[in-house]
Amino acid sequence: MSVYTEQFDVIVIGAGHAGCEAALASARAGCTTLVLTPNLDRIGFMPCNPSIGGPAKGHLVREVDALGGEMGRAIDRTAIQIRMLNTSKGPAVQAPRAQADKMLYPMAMKEALERQPRLTLRQEAVTDIELVTAGGRHRVQAVRTDAGNRYLAGAVVVTAGTFLRGRMIAGEWRAAGGRAGDPAATALSASLSDLGIRLRRLKTGTPPRIDARSIDFSKAEVQTGSDRPLWFSFDGAQGRIERLELPPLPIYPGITDGWRVQMPCYLIHTNPATHDIIAANIDRAPMFNGTIQAVGTRYCPSIEDKIVRFRDKPSHGLFLEPEGWRTTEVYVQGANTSLPQDVQLAFLRTIPALAEATITRYGYAVEYDAIDSSELTRTLAARRVDGLFFAGQVCGTSGYEEAAGQGIVAGLNAACFTQGAEPLVLRRDQSYIGVMIDDLTTQEFVEPYRMLTSRAEHRLLLRCDNAEARLSDIAYRFGLISRERWEAVQAESRIITETLARLAAHHLSMNPRTAEALERAGLPPLARNQTALDYLRRPEVRYEALASVLEALGADSLSVPARLAERIEVEARYEAYIEKELARVERIRHLEERPIPDGIDYTALAGLRNEAREKLARFRPATLGQASRIAGVTPGDVAVLMVHLERGAASIEERPAVVPR
């Protein structure tokens, strides 16, 4: 067989949410980039929930967008509904969530890849990764595909999702594959094992889909989208998004047409009859009869797992989510299952709204191989192989948003590797992406990792509203966004800073004129003479109303865009807390930035406990801060390590790591 050979700077294996962002970041950073995927029609596909965002996940999407990624733009173009969640809570945990048209979203993502200069798409499955050895280190050289072709590469990013030795399971049914209709990547999994990379087995799941025409929507609670404009992307907020919309099918009650047409979702609940059917068939559930050995995520459990773990609960909420403008298929959010098909239909029909339900696609579980967390560095590079990077569910995470966040970092760092440039390492106080990658490379997870706001100790600094301010400098420095966009972000930051200064300089006095202006604007009366900034700190005061009062009292125009007004309110009300958090970051920065030599021999360090030696040697933290977060490493161990580092590298025996084959 003749072998076709071609050279690229970076090769991305897979075109899911991680692969798309990795490829775009690599190409935008100036590298010739090849995407290899078994099916070009599955680019950016949503095999599970047709939604983007939510608490922590919405933060990730905003950060991906701030770094020049595509996910925010794609969902803004194809959303059928968008809402802001946690509005009754503080700004740190508020986040947008949008339902996507399941077919239009991948179309938008594929279009972005096809339009990107220096990026090539090929429909081929990678079967082998070739290495070259020099100076005792292995380095990526090429990949081979099922078509017999060989592609040379300076770096390779593996974004294989759930396809590494993927196996689908529902009741007694079994099939190889990473999702319905797509084969497993068995050869690629074997190739990674041959490289000496440790793999572990994880599990995910998907719920049944039902025909909307078989649903009694009058017995479900309608949940509509936001009545005010919401956007994930900077371009969307600037009015630079070309939306992809179709006339919705009239079978869905509750469709709204305000600032954009939006389709509703619907809330329903299980009941004791639902639980009885599931409990009576628990011996047929692969999760409980030993068929499934892998561990699934605790934060998105299957419906049978919920029934077993929460026996005291009489009901569980489920959401009916339309999968697009022109389809009758509805996703049953919260009903992930691997139960037999007859049981799936039976338990759904115990719910009044679904008494006549027709299933179009049955739910199933997927077992798959993932990279052991100790195999990754904080650049998402493989420890054992130079030029090899990983991103997405293959790293042990769950969710489209987590995959996209890793993808943009892995793709950019693959480009940096080929260019001989310093890689991007995001800190925990800079981004949720930084928190996620730090967690993945310092913690031992036995289940798929899901991003939560509670994982971020600096979450007040990492809000959705300030992602561009936090990350646009980085994105511009690496060539991921244009100068025009960077300057626009800087201009917005100046507006906020100048407006806060003007509010601090404007004094409100307790006099009849001020009282009348406040009353006319629907604002509470002054309790004392104070600055406008202090007055804005009251939770019932809105910036727009205060600005109108100040202008009525003779101030120059204070008008700003609505989204900047919200950020001004947050900055004013939480100023003391933000300053306190920034001071905390500065106090621990000496730990976070103190590097640990990569070749350090932990067995030679006197004073470390045996468990600490084992964990430090396994995870090989890059800094003292990372070392302090490894389970099994105590503050005393960190102090011992710090003492040895203070004595100087000369007193510590260092040797290059030996990479097994």
Side-chain angles (χ1 to χ4, degrees), residues 90-394:
V93 297
Q94 294 178 15
R97 183 179 187 270
Q99 297 295 133
D101 184 295
K102 186 177 178 178
M103 300 310 295
L104 291 182
Y105 182 93
M107 182 187 299
M109 191 61 75
K110 186 182 181 188
E111 178 185 317
L113 266 66
E114 289 175 336
R115 288 185 173 184
Q116 178 61 44
R118 295 182 293 274
L119 199 158
T120 302
L121 300 172
R122 296 275 166 81
Q123 184 167 288
E124 297 180 55
V126 174
T127 57
D128 189 33
I129 297 174
E130 293 183 11
L131 306 182
V132 62
T133 304
R137 291 288 298 175
H138 299 308
R139 176 172 175 156
V140 164
Q141 177 177 250
V143 302
R144 289 184 178 272
T145 71
D146 57 351
N149 295 325
R150 180 171 180 264
Y151 295 99
L152 300 172
V156 171
V157 185
V158 178
T159 66
T162 60
F163 284 78
L164 296 181
R165 279 200 314 130
R167 182 175 73 136
M168 300 176 291
I169 305 166
E172 295 76 33
W173 173 77
R174 317 277 186 277
R179 61 179 172 231
D182 294 305
T186 304
L188 179 58
S189 185
S191 177
L192 292 173
S193 293
D194 290 343
L195 300 181
I197 293 174
R198 288 189 293 266
L199 303 174
R200 54 190 173 131
R201 201 75 173 154
L202 296 177
K203 172 252 176 189
T204 188
T206 189
R209 274 74 157 179
I210 54 181
D211 192 325
R213 294 167 295 184
S214 67
I215 299 172
D216 185 349
F217 288 107
S218 68
K219 297 177 180 177
E221 180 183 335
V222 176
Q223 296 200 320
T224 57
S226 171
D227 59 2
R228 64 185 181 88
L230 289 176
W231 305 95
F232 276 96
S233 70
F234 186 80
D235 283 347
Q238 299 292 317
R240 299 173 183 171
I241 286 293
E242 177 192 1
R243 299 214 299 258
L244 299 179
E245 291 180 346
L246 297 169
L249 291 176
I251 59 175
Y252 296 102
I255 294 171
T256 57
D257 186 4
W259 63 280
R260 73 183 296 171
V261 178
Q262 296 187 79
M263 297 181 69
C265 295
Y266 311 88
L267 175 63
I268 58 175
H269 292 87
T270 63
N271 54 59
T274 316
H275 302 183
D276 289 345
I277 288 177
I278 293 173
N281 289 276
I282 207 68
D283 61 316
R284 301 176 64 193
M287 275 192 64
F288 294 94
N289 63 21
T291 302
I292 293 177
Q293 299 293 324
V295 181
T297 174
R298 77 177 63 191
Y299 301 107
C300 189
S302 66
I303 186 69
E304 55 266 34
D305 196 18
K306 290 179 187 176
I307 301 309
V308 171
R309 287 167 55 189
F310 308 106
R311 299 177 189 272
D312 58 320
K313 290 190 176 295
S315 68
H316 294 279
L318 304 176
F319 293 91
L320 304 179
E321 301 174 345
E323 294 207 331
W325 299 108
R326 304 296 296 178
T327 178
T328 63
E329 283 196 281
V330 174
Y331 183 95
V332 188
Q333 168 69 11
N336 289 359
T337 185
S338 58
L339 285 163
Q341 294 182 357
D342 61 303
V343 181
Q344 294 185 36
L345 182 60
F347 82 68
L348 285 176
R349 286 187 170 180
T350 62
I351 301 171
L354 307 182
E356 303 296 329
T358 299
I359 293 180
T360 57
R361 308 185 200 212
Y362 289 92
Y364 59 91
V366 182
E367 281 189 319
Y368 58 97
D369 288 342
I371 308 303
D372 188 88
S373 55
S374 64
E375 296 288 344
L376 295 169
T377 73
R378 57 182 183 163
T379 65
L380 294 180
R383 293 189 183 279
R384 301 171 185 266
V385 179
D386 294 335
L388 181 61
F389 296 80
F390 295 94
Q393 282 187 271
V394 72

Side-chain angles (χ1 to χ4, degrees), residues 12 18-28 31 33-35 113 116 119 407 411:
V12 177
C20 289
E21 298 295 353
L24 289 168
S26 170
R28 288 166 179 169
C31 288
T33 305
L34 172 66
V35 176
L113 266 66
Q116 178 61 44
L119 199 158

Side-chain angles (χ1 to χ4, degrees), residues 17 57 71 392-393 397-404 406 449-450:
H17 302 279
K57 291 173 174 285
M71 177 173 272
Q393 282 187 271
T397 58
S398 66
Y400 308 145
E401 303 86 353
E402 288 89 341
Q406 295 168 69
Y449 176 96
R450 180 175 181 174

